[in-house]
Each structure stands twice: as C-alpha cells, then as structure tokens.
Amino acid sequence: FKQKTAYEIVSRDWSSDVCSSDLFNVKYPELKYSGNNSQKVCDSINSNIKSFVNSLMKEMDFNENCEFKLERKSCGRELKIDYNLDVFDKDYISARFTIYSYQGGAHGLTYYKCFNFSVQRAEQLKLSDLLYLKQKKELQVLNKLLVKYFENPDQCFSEMPSITPDFEFFSY
C-alpha cells in the first residue's frame, strides 16, 4: 500500500509482542511522521486507535500481559483483531477493523469498526463531515436509498438498516 504521503504506517502485532496464543491475535496500525509534519497528528490518530484496542482488551478481561484477570474466565475465550487501510494519503486515513471475539456460549461474534481521520485537522471524521446531513430531509433521502438497495438474500437481518447523523460505521 504505497502512496505519496509524509506519514508512514507501521503495522503493530500486539499478539506477537505480548504473548504467543492462537486465542489472542491483535493487529493495528500505528502512524509515524517523517519530515516536517506534526507529531500531534500522529498522536491524535494513534490515541484513538489504541483506545479502541484497549477497550476491547478490557472487555475480554485481558491484562497487559495477555493473561486473563480471573483464571476461571479464560476458558475458551478468543480475541482476534485485524485491519485494512482503505485510504491512506496526505489528506485522509481510513482504517477498517475486523474483530472476532468469543466469550463463551454457542458461537463468537464478528463485527467491524471504521475509523476515518482528517490528517490536516488531526481528528476523526463523522459522516456529516463528508455528506450534507444538516436537515432531516437529506437523511431521509439517504435512508430511502439505503432501503432501496439493501439486499438480504439469506434473511440474516431482521430489521432494515438506517443511518443517523452520528453514524460511525462508514469507510471513506
């Protein structure tokens, strides 16, 4: 993934740094700056991503040594995090995380989380930063399009999707 940018992405594999377990595999990007660019941009973006990863670790009751806080809770637990960079250029960074967690029960849960950042502003973007959603009418039009083109051939979803102004799950 090579584009001209003054920033560099270093892939971090917390699982190999901290422990060697097939049940724990955490990868995330870390932004490094080069040249005259601000460390503030890197720190802001890295902080958001690291907070997200730490919240997942806490949810699973892992401590910093990749050990469960309570041994009786560790039986069969699993956490796997990977990511893709959909956009990485001088203006925007868009990272999509795939998270699989198993905390007991019949099956684990796979879900996705996206982070979209403005490099210039050193802050996370909201959907309303990219689309004009200031009035209820624009949001209604967007939701009508979503319903029109939504496909559910295997009937996996029990409700129709909708988007609110604070919607976070999007990839730039």
Side-chain angles (χ1 to χ4, degrees), residues 37-48:
N37 294 327
S38 172
Q39 182 65 36
K40 176 185 169 195
V41 171
C42 297
D43 290 346
S44 174
I45 293 170
N46 291 339
S47 174
N48 274 287

Side-chain angles (χ1 to χ4, degrees), residues 116-134:
N116 301 284
F117 296 98
S118 164
V119 173
Q120 304 302 318
R121 296 187 337 223
E123 61 185 38
Q124 194 168 349
L125 295 171
K126 296 180 278 220
L127 189 59
S128 60
D129 293 329
L130 301 173
L131 299 175
Y132 184 82
L133 299 174
K134 305 299 180 206

Side-chain angles (χ1 to χ4, degrees), residues 23 25 55 76 115 117 119 153-154:
L23 300 178
N25 190 344
S55 71
F115 287 93
F117 296 98
V119 173
D154 297 326

